[in-house]
Amino acid sequence: MNIGVLGGGQLGRMLALAGYPLGHDFVFLDPAPEALCGLGSHLVAQPDDARALAELASRVDLVTYEFENVPAAAARTLAERVPVYPSPAALEVSQDRLHEKTLFRSLGIPTGPFAPIDSSETLATAVEAVGTPAVLKTRRLGYDGKGQRVVGGPDELAPAWAALGKVPCLLEGFVRFERELSCLAVRGRDGTVAVYPLVENHHEAGILRRSIAPAPAATDQRQADAASFARRLLERLDYVGVLALELFEVDGGLLANEIAPRVHNSGHWTIEGAETSQFENHVRAITGAPLGSVAPVGVSAMVNLIGGWPDPARLLAIAGAHLHLYGKAPRPGRKVGHVTVRCDEPESLAHGLAAVERIVSEGLPRAT
Amino acid sequence: MNIGVLGGGQLGRMLALAGYPLGHDFVFLDPAPEALCGLGSHLVAQPDDARALAELASRVDLVTYEFENVPAAAARTLAERVPVYPSPAALEVSQDRLHEKTLFRSLGIPTGPFAPIDSSETLATAVEAVGTPAVLKTRRLGYDGKGQRVVGGPDELAPAWAALGKVPCLLEGFVRFERELSCLAVRGRDGTVAVYPLVENHHEAGILRRSIAPAPAATDQRQADAASFARRLLERLDYVGVLALELFEVDGGLLANEIAPRVHNSGHWTIEGAETSQFENHVRAITGAPLGSVAPVGVSAMVNLIGGWPDPARLLAIAGAHLHLYGKAPRPGRKVGHVTVRCDEPESLAHGLAAVERIVSEGLPRAT
């Protein structure tokens, strides 16, 4: 099939690398001329360019996306012409933190305390409902820690909201979590659901640095809870494709934080560390093929390369290390690649992960 | 790096799929305009087109090849401009069955009986040395069973040679082998050698149908012998990249049959079934990166899709099955894809392999 992808970053690239062996071809729509060098066809246009969207629709059998800030109108326009997976409705929910949290609640999925802020009048009620410390987040267009302000006490809320431009926001209570987890799940066109093992994630400055999978010492109960949450979301949204659910592990269980309606950075380990990668399973799902096994193959750790990368030869010399560069120019704060260490045993994994982290922390960012 | 590849078939495609994540880009030289749709750049030209070769050399950092019938002159011309791996010398040896067998002998690698035929006078001495039944093969340009004639008795040799156009040939004694094995080995630019586990191969009508890896019940002695043969060849040829050595297992040990100076069909299982695939290790080797582990991950079986393919959904529904289509139009006798089943245990592998074989044997060849 010909698959259209809105966005041409590393997620699109890895979708293509997984999809070619299944006999598919790819057309990407991305405004950056240098996106995805060498893979698939590329329409250089903004995702709201009506002519480009019409051309995309005419060239492909279906459309998916690799970033969630696709204008909902664009997704809906496309959906009148070709199947779009996941559905524009799923996209829209994930684009609004209030809708997202409200959906969690309506499905009985626990969350931390939250309250909407859309006027000066709502400031006081929100801070009363949520307490402080809290985090103020814009309802729309936030990712990787952008569009957020920490609110230490009640007095800090009004200035924080002003700093965010007084756009509609959500005040979220500070969750004292033990760790961050994520759950990658996939649903096929026929409604079949498969859920990968829980992943343990480590963020710094709001950006994912490291994932370990399966999450060490995750109980069967936690895995079952996460799978149940993911399944409820997938079914309610009549979702097709891979969904990422970010979670906090707290004393009493799991709290849902947010969803990403796409393949996700915390699932990159599945390329080597699971029987079928999240990218292949997303392609299988949207093309109507049976899902592949989500069983782990040994244990894995993924480290993001941010801003640049060390000498590839040093990374490739580490036992079990697999390098993924995205063909992107180095730039501060930019995800330009990742390294996955896959081993049969947790002991060798710890060893390999330490070696990768040492090199990544030492290494000066560099181009090839 | 920019990597030039002579040939744009499935081996080139899988090299590219393995090489992109390492940060490389690819330029293919192939006369077929439809080769490699969507991957890399493509110079549509014959491999002896001087202008195209010059353009290729100007655009890449090094050159490799994915089929062994590259004109040696083309490889040498390129080698004056850019590094060519494996070296043109290795290519030339593999292009001539007599040179190849003579090389085996000079390195103490056992072979079946053989004798050259280059004139009517040599027919009698050859048949005396080798005996019958035997196989007459053209010294050059044979693959997948082409350019061969079975010789049942001494009288059949002259007609067989005439049928092959009286070109220089090699008469090879019929080897009553127990099974066919192959050994994939890789050598880095720094001389490091790594050898994959032995593979058991099943041919029909001269075309590889099925590979099982690691080869069931292969003794440590057989593995050590094969690794030693491969190492001698790699070192004598100052080889860089992946080399495939085809072997016969006979009562007393291993006999070398032939080499392919490239990634090989009997190594496709390594994509899922080894820690590092043959394609990634070839790319690592030629770019001067450290080699990756060649350890198996569970057990694997690969089945070629020849002439066409069944409904992908049926294959993808099999536990542990991984589909690889090459983007080639179906045509009788043409390799258009393969399926690898990877499992943790031999029992589940047997089950999965049987399911794949059943579908492949039933399924009518079809396009997507």
Side-chain angles (χ1 to χ4, degrees):
Chain A
M1 289 186 195
N2 286 310
I3 298 176
V5 184
L6 298 180
Q10 63 266 24
L11 300 178
R13 178 174 160 111
M14 289 186 274
L15 281 173
L17 290 169
Y20 277 109
L22 300 181
H24 305 302
D25 208 345
F26 291 82
V27 183
F28 296 91
L29 190 147
D30 193 290
E34 75 282 8
L36 276 158
C37 49
L39 283 175
S41 308
H42 183 182
L43 298 175
V44 180
Q46 296 294 338
D48 57 358
D49 178 327
R51 252 177 51 188
L53 289 170
E55 184 183 342
L56 182 66
S58 73
R59 288 176 58 181
V60 301
D61 299 298
L62 56 90
V63 168
T64 190
Y65 26 81
E66 58 108 59
F67 74 120
E68 62 267 49
N69 290 326
V70 169
R76 293 207 175 272
T77 305
L78 277 170
E80 289 165 14
R81 306 273 306 266
V82 284
V84 173
Y85 301 115
S87 68
L91 185 68
E92 285 175 59
V93 164
S94 75
Q95 287 177 348
D96 186 313
R97 292 184 196 278
L98 178 60
H99 290 172
E100 192 176 51
K101 286 283 203 299
T102 308
L103 174 66
F104 292 154
R105 217 168 245 186
S106 76
L107 291 169
I109 300 171
T111 70
F114 66 86
I117 288 175
D118 51 16
S119 66
S120 305
E121 291 70 47
T122 50
L123 291 173
T125 46
V127 90
E128 193 172 330
V130 169
T132 55
V135 187
L136 183 68
K137 299 179 178 176
T138 59
R139 276 175 56 180
R140 302 178 61 84
L141 292 174
Y143 65 95
D144 282 354
K146 288 162 191 152
Q148 307 197 358
R149 286 288 184 286
V150 172
V151 176
D155 294 351
E156 293 176 23
L157 181 55
W161 190 47
L164 291 176
K166 297 196 178 181
V167 296
C169 281
L170 200 67
L171 187 67
E172 297 183 359
F174 233 76
V175 173
R176 291 185 201 288
F177 57 81
E178 288 165 6
R179 58 177 172 171
E180 293 172 277
L181 299 172
S182 62
C183 177
L184 283 301
V186 57
R187 185 166 176 268
R189 281 206 219 163
D190 64 355
T192 316
V193 169
V195 183
Y196 287 92
L198 277 167
V199 186
E200 177 181 308
N201 299 313
H202 301 258
H203 290 82
E204 284 169 33
I207 300 181
L208 182 69
R209 299 285 157 160
R210 183 167 72 247
S211 294
I212 301 174
T219 62
D220 289 352
Q221 184 61 51
R222 292 283 186 277
Q223 178 69 38
D225 286 348
S228 163
F229 300 165
R231 183 181 289 273
R232 285 177 230 172
L233 287 161
L234 292 169
E235 289 175 353
R236 169 68 66 89
L237 295 169
D238 193 19
Y239 196 96
V240 174
V242 166
L243 174 90
L245 169 61
E246 294 189 48
L247 300 156
F248 297 125
E249 187 168 35
V250 295
D251 193 20
L254 297 175
L255 299 180
N257 181 32
E258 62 181 44
I259 57 172
R262 51 167 171 80
V263 289
H264 192 256
N265 195 169
S266 71
H268 290 0
W269 64 274
T270 59
I271 297 175
E272 291 86 13
E275 189 61 38
T276 313
S277 78
Q278 64 166 346
F279 301 102
E280 179 171 342
N281 258 335
H282 186 74
V283 172
R284 288 192 188 213
I286 63 178
T287 58
L291 303 181
S293 163
V294 292
V297 179
V299 289
S300 299
M302 185 231 49
V303 176
N304 270 334
L305 301 173
I306 296 168
W309 55 92
D311 180 0
R314 294 186 67 198
L315 294 169
L316 292 173
I318 298 167
H322 297 272
L323 177 62
H324 298 262
L325 295 174
Y326 304 150
K328 292 162 78 175
R331 200 158 68 199
R334 191 182 209 194
K335 292 175 184 171
V336 294
H338 74 267
V339 185
T340 296
V341 184
R342 195 212 69 84
C343 296
D344 291 330
E345 306 298 337
E347 295 70 34
S348 5
L349 182 68
H351 203 78
L353 175 59
V356 169
E357 300 255 3
R358 197 163 48 240
I359 290 166
V360 169
S361 65
E362 277 171 16
L364 280 178
R366 48 170 278 176
T368 30
Chain B
M1 289 186 194
N2 287 308
I3 298 176
V5 183
L6 298 179
Q10 64 265 25
L11 301 178
R13 179 173 159 109
M14 290 185 275
L15 281 172
L17 289 170
Y20 277 109
L22 300 181
H24 305 303
D25 208 345
F26 291 83
V27 183
F28 296 90
L29 192 147
D30 193 289
E34 76 282 7
L36 273 159
C37 48
L39 285 175
S41 308
H42 183 184
L43 298 174
V44 180
Q46 296 293 340
D48 57 358
D49 178 328
R51 251 176 51 188
L53 290 170
E55 186 184 342
L56 182 67
S58 73
R59 290 176 55 181
V60 301
D61 300 297
L62 57 89
V63 169
T64 189
Y65 25 83
E66 58 109 59
F67 74 118
E68 62 267 50
N69 290 326
V70 168
R76 294 207 175 274
T77 305
L78 277 170
E80 290 164 12
R81 305 273 306 269
V82 284
V84 174
Y85 302 113
S87 68
L91 185 69
E92 286 175 59
V93 164
S94 75
Q95 287 177 347
D96 186 314
R97 292 183 196 279
L98 179 59
H99 290 173
E100 193 177 49
K101 286 282 203 297
T102 308
L103 174 65
F104 292 153
R105 217 167 245 185
S106 76
L107 291 169
I109 300 171
T111 70
F114 65 86
I117 289 174
D118 51 14
S119 67
S120 305
E121 291 71 46
T122 50
L123 291 173
T125 45
V127 91
E128 192 172 330
V130 170
T132 55
V135 186
L136 184 68
K137 299 179 177 176
T138 59
R139 276 174 56 179
R140 300 178 62 82
L141 291 175
Y143 66 96
D144 282 353
K146 289 163 192 152
Q148 307 198 358
R149 287 288 183 285
V150 172
V151 176
D155 294 351
E156 294 175 25
L157 180 56
W161 191 48
L164 291 177
K166 296 195 178 181
V167 296
C169 281
L170 199 69
L171 188 67
E172 298 184 359
F174 233 75
V175 173
R176 291 184 201 288
F177 57 82
E178 290 165 6
R179 57 176 173 172
E180 294 172 276
L181 299 171
S182 63
C183 177
L184 284 300
V186 57
R187 185 166 177 269
R189 281 206 218 162
D190 64 355
T192 315
V193 169
V195 183
Y196 287 92
L198 277 167
V199 186
E200 178 180 308
N201 299 315
H202 300 259
H203 290 81
E204 284 169 34
I207 301 182
L208 182 68
R209 300 282 160 162
R210 186 167 69 246
S211 294
I212 300 174
T219 62
D220 289 353
Q221 184 61 52
R222 292 282 186 280
Q223 180 68 37
D225 286 349
S228 163
F229 300 165
R231 183 180 290 273
R232 285 177 229 171
L233 287 161
L234 291 169
E235 288 174 353
R236 169 68 65 88
L237 295 169
D238 193 18
Y239 196 95
V240 173
V242 166
L243 174 90
L245 170 61
E246 293 189 48
L247 300 156
F248 297 125
E249 187 169 34
V250 295
D251 193 21
L254 297 174
L255 300 180
N257 181 32
E258 62 182 42
I259 57 172
R262 52 167 171 80
V263 289
H264 192 257
N265 196 169
S266 70
H268 291 0
W269 64 275
T270 58
I271 296 175
E272 290 86 11
E275 190 59 40
T276 314
S277 78
Q278 65 166 345
F279 301 102
E280 178 170 342
N281 257 335
H282 186 74
V283 172
R284 288 192 188 212
I286 64 178
T287 57
L291 303 181
S293 163
V294 292
V297 180
V299 289
S300 300
M302 185 231 49
V303 176
N304 271 334
L305 300 174
I306 297 169
W309 57 91
D311 179 0
R314 295 187 66 197
L315 294 169
L316 292 173
I318 298 167
H322 297 271
L323 177 63
H324 298 262
L325 294 175
Y326 304 150
K328 293 162 76 174
R331 200 158 67 199
R334 192 180 210 195
K335 292 177 185 170
V336 292
H338 74 267
V339 185
T340 295
V341 185
R342 193 213 70 83
C343 296
D344 291 330
E345 305 298 337
E347 294 70 35
S348 7
L349 182 68
H351 203 78
L353 175 59
V356 170
E357 300 254 359
R358 197 163 50 239
I359 291 166
V360 169
S361 65
E362 279 170 16
L364 282 175
R366 47 169 281 173
T368 31

